[in-house]
Amino acid sequence: MARVIHGIGGRSTSSRPRPIIVVNKSGGAGAEGFLHVKGKKGDAHTIIITLSNLFTTPLHTGVPFSWKDLTPVARLALDQFILWVNAETPYKTAKEYLAAVKEKKRDDEDGGTGSAQEDQILTIMLEQAQGVKFIYVPFKGGGEVCVNLVGKHVDSTVNNPAECVSHWKPTASARWPCSTP
């Protein structure tokens, strides 16, 4: 998202003499970036692009940061998640898939991006709401999650459509159940 913003208007202009410089602060599910920006309090030239990890990272890690330490400027996107299964499975809906998971004697593997982030939190919420159990398998990124779903290394994923859509076509190997359970 930061690179898109930079591409749209990141160059210096007469009305904005400073260019936008994108700096990646990786580590701790966003904690490094949050602490960096928190330390820049009062600096009108520092912004952060974040996801819902703005709320989940402090809860999970105990990092001395709260979303209240920042001032929201704009919501640029809404991050939606979809329950995906491999297209070669017989399931056409989420209800069918979750019923099959309940009937099995073993837990299905659900892949997601990282640990204690949106993917895993949504998987846990799905488990609690539907009375199913998954073995959560964390991956480094959404693309890697989708490749593992297509390759049948995991049974399902709760993932952002943008991360899997390149693998989804009417004849491709990933399909999302179209109805809610």
Side-chain angles (χ1 to χ4, degrees):
M1 181 67 72
R3 297 201 187 288
V4 169
I5 293 168
H6 178 266
I8 293 169
R11 294 173 189 77
S12 300
T13 64
S14 58
S15 63
R16 190 178 28 79
R18 289 180 148 190
I20 295 174
I21 300 169
V22 177
V23 178
N24 293 325
K25 291 283 185 183
S26 61
E32 292 296 324
F34 298 141
L35 292 175
H36 175 78
V37 173
K38 180 180 177 181
K40 297 285 189 168
K41 185 174 183 167
D43 179 352
H45 301 288
T46 300
I47 63 171
I48 190 167
I49 306 297
T50 186
L51 307 165
S52 52
N53 65 334
L54 174 69
F55 307 104
T56 58
T57 295
L59 293 172
H60 176 69
T61 64
V63 66
F65 170 81
S66 166
W67 64 270
K68 296 175 185 176
D69 294 327
L70 302 178
T71 301
V73 176
R75 182 176 75 186
L76 302 175
L78 181 60
D79 206 14
Q80 297 183 0
F81 288 75
I82 292 175
L83 173 61
W84 299 81
V85 298
N86 189 294
E88 294 179 11
T89 68
Y91 316 116
K92 305 287 187 227
T93 67
K95 187 176 183 177
E96 289 176 4
Y97 174 63
L98 293 169
V101 172
K102 279 184 182 180
E103 291 174 16
K104 288 185 179 179
K105 300 290 185 215
R106 64 172 185 83
D107 302 333
D108 271 25
E109 291 185 350
D110 186 72
T113 304
S115 296
Q117 295 194 42
E118 300 88 355
D119 300 35
Q120 187 172 21
I121 290 168
L122 290 170
T123 299
I124 291 168
M125 291 172 69
L126 187 62
E127 288 175 329
Q128 292 171 347
Q130 297 298 313
V132 296
K133 182 69 180 142
F134 294 102
I135 298 170
Y136 182 78
V137 182
F139 293 96
K140 292 180 182 174
E144 187 178 348
V145 173
C146 294
V147 166
N148 278 277
L149 178 64
V150 170
K152 301 179 186 174
H153 305 293
V154 294
D155 300 298
S156 62
T157 180
V158 176
N159 204 339
N160 186 306
E163 296 173 314
C164 281
V165 76
S166 65
H167 296 285
W168 180 82
K169 296 180 181 103
T171 59
S173 299
R175 168 179 58 233
W176 64 76
C178 298
S179 69
T180 57

